[in-house]
Amino acid sequence: MAMMLNCREVAEQASQALDKPQGFMARLAMRFHLFMCVDCRRYVTHLGLVSQVTKRDDSIVEPAEADVERTLKALMARRDD
């Protein structure tokens, strides 16, 4: 794994980190990127908040993988504008 992650890799790893613990180097690379990228810091913060809310409310269902992928692509495209 390269030490410097790009924004897309951070988004993917942040989602994975909610499901399973990440290794030391993965966490270090993520923190390094988040230190430099305010957009990813904001994204990871919001992702964590959404995760906390959905864990508390059993009536919220997990979105389909296609919906998540479409949303991430739209966010990344918007960031590139």
Side-chain angles (χ1 to χ4, degrees), residues 8 43 63-78:
R8 185 176 306 278
Y43 172 78
E65 184 68 30
D67 293 334
V68 172
E69 191 64 33
R70 186 173 51 248
T71 301
L72 283 174
K73 285 180 182 177
L75 288 171
M76 295 305 287
R78 184 175 174 192

Side-chain angles (χ1 to χ4, degrees), residues 6-79:
N6 63 39
C7 294
R8 185 176 306 278
E9 292 168 330
V10 167
E12 290 171 4
Q13 286 190 15
S15 296
Q16 292 171 2
L18 293 173
D19 297 328
K20 62 180 181 175
Q22 301 295 298
F24 174 76
M25 291 304 292
R27 289 192 320 267
L28 184 62
M30 173 84 76
R31 287 182 184 262
F32 184 72
H33 181 92
L34 293 177
F35 175 74
M36 297 176 35
C37 182
V38 67
D39 293 327
C40 286
R41 266 197 314 272
R42 189 176 301 123
Y43 172 78
V44 169
T45 299
H46 289 160
L47 185 64
L49 292 172
V50 168
S51 176
Q52 289 176 4
V53 168
T54 57
K55 286 179 183 175
R56 292 182 189 155
D57 189 346
D58 293 334
S59 68
I60 298 174
V61 295
E62 186 174 335
E65 184 68 30
D67 293 334
V68 172
E69 191 64 33
R70 186 173 51 248
T71 301
L72 283 174
K73 285 180 182 177
L75 288 171
M76 295 305 287
R78 184 175 174 192
R79 184 179 186 278

